[in-house]
Amino acid sequence: MIELIFATNNDNKVREIRQALPEGFSIISLQEAGIFKDIPEPHATLEANATEKSTVIYELTRKNCFSEDSGLETVVLDGAPGVRSARFADGEPQYASNTNKLLTLLNGKENRKARFRTVISLIIKGKEELFEGICEGTIAPEPMGTGGFGYDPVFIPDGSNKTFGQMTLEEKQEFSHRKKAVKKLVVYLKSLADR
Ligand code: IMP
């Protein structure tokens, strides 16, 4: 069994990644590891934030761990909200206000193309590896569905006519950026186990 600490306090992400991992791998959330720490995301790229989060937890525990940073990137807003996805609207980070701000900025725009991007930073035996997952899609004119989290109710992945918010977790996993990044992580971990 390969055990990794997942450096996040987001239960939705823990649920999604747990569901995406095959047998032989287990993840421990920060809470389960007894770490009650809010890890900052101060950098300008998903990669740098992911590295920061896994490094903070590795330095604290010296155990194998990984983190992920994700964002929604739109074409017409030059990649925004991107790395600022969690804090796009002013005030306390809230999914509904972030989504409303996005819909307001896209109002009347013809190009509603967007993509979710996840970067995973794994630190194993003290060495870092990065893995990326991308899901292309479009932003719906209004929120649809109540499933998932964040921008899920307004994101329609290419190849579907439903938003992530209208999907079950199993359906979302067929398209998910996070799942794609996790698949790469698993291939890498398996290659280490085979060595
Ligand atoms: P972070 O990776 O914790 O910085 O959060 C990124 C933000 O992007 C989240 O707060 C969500 O608003 C958004 N986000 C990331 N992944 C997803 C997803 O799978 N669905 C919907 N929103 C997401």
Side-chain angles (χ1 to χ4, degrees):
M1 179 70 72
I2 297 183
E3 201 176 78
L4 301 160
I5 298 177
F6 182 16
T8 187
N9 288 311
N10 183 328
D11 291 340
N12 290 292
K13 290 182 176 180
V14 175
R15 202 169 308 124
E16 285 193 17
I17 291 197
R18 240 184 212 138
Q19 213 237 24
L21 282 174
E23 269 180 35
F25 296 89
S26 77
I27 61 169
I28 309 171
S29 68
L30 283 184
Q31 245 182 337
E32 287 160 349
I35 301 166
F36 298 92
K37 200 175 167 66
D38 219 7
I39 312 167
E41 299 178 346
H43 302 291
T45 63
L46 298 178
E47 284 79 0
N49 280 336
T51 297
E52 168 101 14
K53 289 190 268 189
S54 59
T55 304
V56 166
I57 296 308
Y58 181 72
E59 284 179 353
L60 208 63
T61 64
R62 297 276 146 186
K63 291 194 174 148
N64 296 332
C65 62
F66 70 98
S67 71
E68 69 96 77
D69 204 35
S70 302
L72 178 68
E73 301 172 343
T74 61
V75 172
V76 83
L77 301 177
D78 289 333
V83 74
R84 299 199 59 248
S85 291
R87 280 167 289 297
F88 193 39
D90 294 333
E92 277 296 294
Q94 279 190 358
Y95 292 148
S97 41
N98 286 334
T99 303
N100 287 339
K101 178 170 178 183
L102 178 70
L103 290 178
T104 305
L105 290 174
L106 289 188
N107 196 13
K109 301 269 195 279
E110 211 166 285
N111 186 346
R112 301 183 73 88
K113 276 189 181 303
R115 64 181 195 171
F116 271 121
R117 197 162 75 88
T118 288
V119 174
I120 289 179
S121 160
L122 167 74
I123 300 186
I124 193 150
K125 294 178 187 157
K127 190 170 164 283
E128 187 193 24
E129 296 286 335
L130 293 175
F131 307 92
E132 184 188 53
I134 289 174
C135 175
E136 301 281 351
T138 50
I139 301 301
E142 60 190 47
M144 289 184 285
T146 53
F149 70 103
Y151 300 90
D152 277 348
V154 294
F155 184 81
I156 305 171
D158 287 354
S160 176
N161 51 16
K162 289 199 248 183
T163 67
F164 273 166
Q166 293 173 302
M167 294 184 185
T168 62
L169 181 52
E170 287 73 19
E171 286 174 293
K172 179 179 174 184
Q173 297 286 38
E174 274 181 47
F175 303 93
S176 162
H177 45 300
R178 193 165 294 104
K179 170 93 183 232
K180 286 177 185 156
V182 169
K183 272 191 174 166
K184 292 181 186 170
L185 168 75
V186 167
V187 167
Y188 179 78
L189 289 171
K190 281 187 167 164
S191 77
L192 285 187
D194 291 344
R195 265 181 215 169

